[in-house]
Amino acid sequence: MIGVENRIDRLFAKQRQKHFIPFITVGDPSLDVSFRLVQALVEAGASLIELGVPYSDPLADGPTIQRASLRSLAAKTSIRDVVQFVGRLRQAGIEIPLVLFSYYNPVMQYGIEQFFADMREQGADGIVIPDLPVEENEPVVEAAKAHGLHVISLVAPTSEQRIAMIGQQASGFLYCVSSLGVTGARVSLREDLAQFLASVRANTTVPIAVGFGISTPEQVRQVADHADGVIVGSAIVQEIERNLSLLTDDKQQAEGIANIKTFVQSLVSALK
Amino acid sequence: MTKMTAANQTVPDEKGRFGSFGGRYVPETLMNALNELEEAFEEARRDPQFLAQLNHLFSYYSGRPTPLYYAQRLSETLGGAQIYLKREDLNHTGAHKLNNALGQGLLAKRLGKKAIIAETGAGQHGVASATVAAKLGLSCKVFMGEEDIKRQELNVFRMKLLGAEVIPATSGTRTLKDATNEAIRYWVSHVEEAFYVIGSVIGPHPYPYMVREFQKIIGEETKEQAMDQIGRMPDEVIACVGGGSNAMGMFYPFIGENVRLRGVEAAGHGIDTKKHSAKLTLGTPGVIHGTLTYLLQDEYGQVQEAHSISAGLDYPGVGPEHAYLKEIGRVTYTAVTDEEALAALQLLSETEGIIPALESAHALADAIKIAPDMSSDKVIVVCLSGRGDKDVAAIQKYLQPKKGEEQR
C-alpha cells in the first residue's frame, strides 16, 4: 500500500460501497469534449475514472476502443496531452481518483521516471498498462512507488496459478479481466466468473474491480455482487461514437454529453 | 538436422532477453499460454522422437537440405567475389518459412491444439502455415492486411486452396503490422484452443528464440556445404531482414565463426524519405507485438508505417535478437531501395535463370554492391530466402515498358 495520500487508497478505505469506474479515451473526439465528459461522468456518479491514452497498436482492445484511439490520434492527442489533461481536471476541481490506461511503449518513450514525476505533479493516481505483465513491470513499479502512484495489475481467467503472484504484488486495486479476449461489449459474461473472482479475492488484500465486456445495468449488478468496483469502457465509448455528430458540433455538444451522462447514470444506478 | 542446441547459445536468458531486448509485453491473458509453449518447446527440442519427426518432414516433405549453389554467371558478370546462393527458395511452398511452420505445427499437435492461427505479409508464412495445417490435420486461420491481400492475390488463392480461411485485417495501414495485431487479438480471445504460429523471430518470448531454433538449419547446412564445396567458411554472409527469420536462421550458426554478417533492410524509396522499412538503420528501441526491439515510431511512441516494394519486408519492427546483434556490433545492417532490389532481381533472373522473391532480392542487391570491390578469392553467401513467383504480378507493374517501347 502506498499510503493514505493516494486517492485510490482513500476511495476504497471509505465505506464498503460498490464503485463505478468508467473509461474514456482522452481526445476522442477532442480534448475539450473529453474534459466535459469527465465532468459529466463525475456528476453521473463515477467513483474513479480511467483515462485512455490513444495508441496506434492497441492489441488488448477491441474495435470500439481502437476506433476511439484513431479518432484521438487524428486529433493529435499525445501521452503528454493526457498527463496535462489530468492537471486541467484537477484545476477544475475534480477530486476523484484518476487512473491512466496506456500501452507500455508511449510510457517508455516518455521516459519512465519523468512520466511518473509528471503524473504526480498533475495529480494522477495510477496507471493500467495492459501489455506489461508482472514479470516486466519492475522498473515501472519502482518509479511509480517513488512518486506515490499505483501501477494497477491485471489478472485474467487464464492466470490460474499466477493469481497468487499477481495478487501479492497488486497495488491500489486489482483489475480483473472478466472474460477472455479484448475489450468490448459482450452479450453474456463467463459462467465461472464468480469462481474466478473468489479465487482472486482469496489471494489478495487489495480491492478488486472487474472489467472487459460489461455493458448493461444487469451485468453491472451481476458483477458488483463479487467485486468492489465495476469497470465499463467499450459500452461508454460506443455511446460516445453514437453521439459523435452532436459532440463535434459546438451548438449540439451539450446534448451529446447529456446523452452519455444519461447512459452512464443507468449503469451507476444498478449499483444502488 | 539440427541438434537444437549450440555451444555459443548465450541468449536469450530465462526471461527471454537478448541483452536489453526481447521479453514479454503482452496482456496477462496470454502469459500462461506462453509459459506452456515455452515448456512444451523445451521438452520437444530434447525429445528424439519430435526431432526425428521434424527431420523426416524436412527431408521427405520439404526437400531439405536445400542446395548451396555457386552463381557462376552472376559472379563473372559482377567481377570480384564469388557469389553462392543458399537456395531456401527450393523448399516446398517456395520459402524458408516452411522450416518454422513445420516445427510450430508439430508443437501445436503436441499441445493437443486443433486450430492454428497465423499472420502473413507477403503470404509466404500464410501459405506455409496453411500447408502444415493441411498436412497435420489442423484448422487454419490466416490474418492478412487488406492491402497485402491485393498485392499477393496468388498466395491468397493458394491458402484458400489449402483449406485455410484468410481473414482481412482492415485496421491501420492494412499490412503485416495490422494483421499481427488482429492475430494477437484473436489469440487473446481463443487462447485456450488456438495455437498462434508466429512467422518470424518476433513476438513475445519464447517466439523469437523458438523460431530461430527452427530456422537455424539454414546456417547449419550452409556451413557444412561451404566446407564440402569450398573447403572453408565464406567471408561474407548476407540475408534480408524484415522481421528477420531467414537472416537469424542463417546468421546464428555463424556467430561464433570468423565470418562477416550483413543484414539488409528495405530502404523503400530511400532512407532519406519517410517511405522505408529500415528500423535497425533508422528506428529506436520500443515495444511492438510483445517484444522490446528496434522499431519505427514517433517521439510519443506511436508506431509508424513501414514501406517496401516487398510485402514481406514491410514491417515496422524487427526481431529482438537482431537489435541485440546490432548493439553488440556482430552484424552490419544496411538498407537497399526498391529500385536496387528490382535491378538485382532482374540481374539474377537474366544471369542464372532464378527469379528471387523481392525480399531476397534485397540481400542480393547488397551482394551486388560489395562483390565488385572484393578480390576473386573471396566468397559471399546470399540467403535466397524465397522464390519470386508470388511477386511476378507486382514486378510486372513496376517494369511495364513505357508506351511505344518494345517488349524485350
Side-chain angles (χ1 to χ4, degrees):
Chain A
M1 273 247 186
I2 274 167
V4 285
E5 241 187 291
N6 190 290
R7 293 177 192 84
I8 298 172
D9 298 331
R10 235 186 294 158
L11 174 73
F12 288 104
K14 272 198 288 185
Q15 68 276 45
R16 284 242 145 259
Q17 174 201 336
K18 305 288 180 179
H19 297 292
F20 186 77
I21 304 175
F23 165 99
I24 60 163
T25 299
V26 176
D28 167 31
S30 69
L31 287 170
D32 284 337
V33 169
S34 295
F35 184 79
R36 291 225 206 160
L37 278 172
V38 169
Q39 290 177 316
L41 293 171
V42 173
E43 287 162 18
S47 298
L48 180 159
I49 297 176
E50 265 187 44
L51 299 170
V53 175
Y55 187 50
S56 56
D57 295 72
L59 51 78
D61 284 301
T64 305
I65 291 179
Q66 192 183 14
R67 283 196 300 271
S69 252
L70 287 178
R71 288 194 293 270
S72 175
L73 287 175
K76 304 241 181 286
T77 313
S78 74
I79 187 167
R80 284 180 187 277
D81 296 327
V82 180
V83 173
Q84 308 255 310
F85 181 76
V86 172
R88 223 179 118 192
L89 293 171
R90 293 299 182 215
Q91 275 163 18
I94 302 287
E95 288 292 332
I96 65 169
L98 297 171
V99 169
L100 265 53
F101 181 104
S102 173
Y103 287 84
Y104 182 47
N105 198 45
V107 174
M108 185 184 158
Q109 302 312 320
Y110 198 118
I112 293 171
E113 169 54 34
Q114 190 61 52
F115 175 71
F116 285 103
D118 290 356
M119 286 254 288
R120 184 196 176 97
E121 198 185 308
Q122 300 295 323
D125 301 290
I127 186 166
V128 179
I129 307 180
D131 59 346
L132 198 69
V134 291
E135 281 86 345
E136 304 287 357
N137 74 6
E138 201 185 306
V140 170
V141 166
E142 265 174 38
K145 266 196 185 141
H147 292 284
L149 301 175
H150 290 299
V151 176
I152 312 297
S153 294
L154 291 109
V155 62
T158 51
S159 295
E160 296 171 16
Q161 76 281 8
R162 295 169 53 80
I163 292 176
M165 175 181 68
I166 298 167
Q168 245 163 38
Q169 231 223 36
S171 161
F173 64 93
L174 195 47
Y175 191 135
C176 304
V177 175
S178 63
S179 49
L180 292 191
V182 292
T183 57
R186 284 174 180 75
V187 180
S188 61
L189 298 168
R190 276 174 88 94
E191 283 168 17
D192 56 357
L193 184 63
Q195 220 180 326
F196 163 58
L197 296 177
S199 140
V200 175
R201 186 75 88 186
N203 280 289
T204 192
T205 55
V206 302
I208 66 174
V210 180
F212 278 45
I214 301 165
S215 60
T216 64
E218 221 286 297
Q219 290 171 333
V220 169
R221 207 172 302 127
Q222 201 185 331
V223 166
D225 287 344
H226 313 282
D228 307 296
V230 183
I231 304 164
V232 178
S234 297
I236 295 170
V237 173
Q238 231 163 47
E239 202 59 27
I240 292 171
E241 198 167 53
R242 229 174 261 146
N243 285 280
L244 219 48
S245 59
L246 300 178
L247 293 172
T248 48
D249 178 345
D250 284 349
K251 287 187 197 114
Q252 294 179 292
Q253 205 177 79
E255 189 190 335
I257 286 167
N259 290 345
I260 293 148
K261 187 173 164 184
T262 306
F263 175 70
V264 173
Q265 275 168 333
S266 75
L267 297 172
V268 175
S269 63
L271 292 178
K272 301 270 158 68
Chain B
M1 76 149 208
T2 185
K3 284 209 304 290
M4 292 258 177
T5 45
N8 60 354
Q9 184 194 305
T10 53
V11 289
D13 65 15
E14 73 282 358
K15 287 186 86 179
R17 297 252 170 216
F18 303 87
S20 57
F21 301 103
R24 280 181 180 172
Y25 298 89
V26 293
E28 168 60 25
T29 305
L30 296 178
M31 287 302 283
N32 255 335
L34 291 171
N35 285 332
E36 184 190 51
L37 175 60
E38 187 183 6
E39 217 172 278
F41 176 63
E42 285 303 327
E43 272 170 30
R45 64 192 277 268
R46 293 192 174 86
D47 178 357
Q49 212 187 331
F50 178 85
L51 296 178
Q53 241 180 327
L54 185 58
N55 273 330
H56 185 86
L57 288 171
F58 278 170
S59 306
Y60 294 96
Y61 189 67
S62 183
R64 301 208 71 90
T66 58
L68 179 65
Y69 165 73
Y70 172 43
Q72 190 179 354
R73 285 210 346 117
L74 175 68
S75 304
E76 283 168 6
T77 304
L78 293 171
Q82 307 305 308
I83 298 176
Y84 286 71
L85 307 174
K86 177 60 174 166
R87 298 290 306 275
E88 289 301 298
D89 60 318
L90 292 180
N91 264 305
H92 176 46
T93 74
H96 70 290
K97 294 288 186 188
L98 190 66
N99 304 333
N100 168 54
L102 282 170
Q104 288 196 45
L106 285 180
L107 264 183
K109 287 285 267 193
R110 197 179 167 93
L111 283 165
K113 308 276 178 179
K114 302 265 187 287
I116 60 173
I117 57 169
E119 82 297 325
T120 198
Q124 288 305 84
H125 174 59
V127 168
S129 299
T131 300
V132 168
K135 160 85 192 138
L136 299 178
L138 301 162
S139 79
C140 180
K141 283 187 168 57
V142 180
F143 293 83
M144 191 168 182
E146 238 180 8
E147 191 55 41
D148 289 338
I149 286 179
K150 270 186 247 156
R151 287 200 280 189
Q152 303 290 341
E153 224 176 306
L154 192 63
N155 268 343
V156 172
F157 181 67
R158 206 171 275 159
M159 285 180 251
K160 289 180 177 166
L161 205 55
L162 291 160
E165 188 187 344
V166 179
I167 301 171
T170 55
S171 61
T173 55
R174 296 169 188 176
T175 59
L176 180 55
K177 168 180 91 102
D178 307 290
T180 308
N181 285 336
E182 293 301 330
I184 294 175
R185 286 197 186 103
Y186 182 89
W187 190 33
V188 176
S189 312
H190 300 85
V191 61
E192 288 165 321
E193 64 276 359
F195 185 104
Y196 182 16
V197 180
I198 293 186
S200 193
V201 285
I202 55 169
H205 179 63
Y207 281 101
Y209 157 61
M210 179 171 70
V211 177
R212 176 194 82 194
E213 290 296 304
F214 286 133
Q215 291 292 4
K216 74 181 185 191
I217 191 166
I218 302 172
E220 283 171 349
E221 282 179 9
T222 303
K223 268 171 99 168
E224 261 177 50
Q225 291 164 327
M227 289 310 289
D228 283 352
Q229 293 171 227
I230 58 175
R232 65 178 180 90
M233 291 290 125
D235 300 285
E236 303 268 358
V237 169
I238 306 177
C240 67
V241 179
S245 70
N246 89 88
M248 234 18 266
M250 178 56 118
F251 293 165
Y252 187 68
F254 284 103
I255 283 173
E257 305 287 345
N258 185 21
V259 172
R260 279 195 295 272
L261 304 172
R262 295 171 69 88
V264 186
E265 301 189 291
H269 293 192
I271 52 172
D272 49 350
T273 71
K274 283 193 163 176
K275 300 204 120 196
H276 62 79
S277 184
K279 43 267 169 173
L280 287 162
T281 311
L282 296 168
T284 49
V287 169
I288 184 169
H289 298 143
T291 193
L292 204 168
T293 186
Y294 273 78
L295 72 140
L296 301 178
Q297 58 182 330
D298 71 9
E299 61 180 308
Y300 300 115
Q302 306 293 346
V303 179
Q304 300 295 288
E305 279 185 43
H307 169 83
S308 168
I309 188 173
S310 153
L313 300 183
D314 198 346
Y315 179 68
V318 66
E321 193 164 6
H322 284 294
Y324 169 70
L325 292 171
K326 174 196 161 76
E327 205 169 67
I328 64 170
R330 179 63 188 89
V331 179
T332 303
Y333 292 94
T334 61
V336 309
T337 63
D338 289 350
E339 269 183 25
E340 290 168 322
L342 273 170
L345 180 142
Q346 285 175 282
L347 184 63
L348 188 70
S349 301
E350 287 165 11
T351 55
E352 298 288 348
I354 298 170
I355 302 172
L358 276 169
E359 289 83 354
S360 320
H362 284 74
L364 204 64
D366 187 59
I368 290 169
K369 275 187 196 172
I370 67 168
D373 294 330
M374 293 167 68
S375 70
S376 60
D377 60 347
K378 298 290 184 194
V379 170
I380 298 175
V381 171
V382 176
C383 185
L384 207 74
S385 55
R387 60 174 172 247
D389 305 32
K390 68 181 170 65
D391 294 322
V392 287
I395 298 163
Q396 196 180 23
K397 208 178 78 191
Y398 284 94
L399 300 181
Q400 208 64 268
K402 289 185 196 94
K403 244 190 185 163
E405 204 177 313
E406 280 293 306
Q407 184 103 36
R408 276 205 282 180

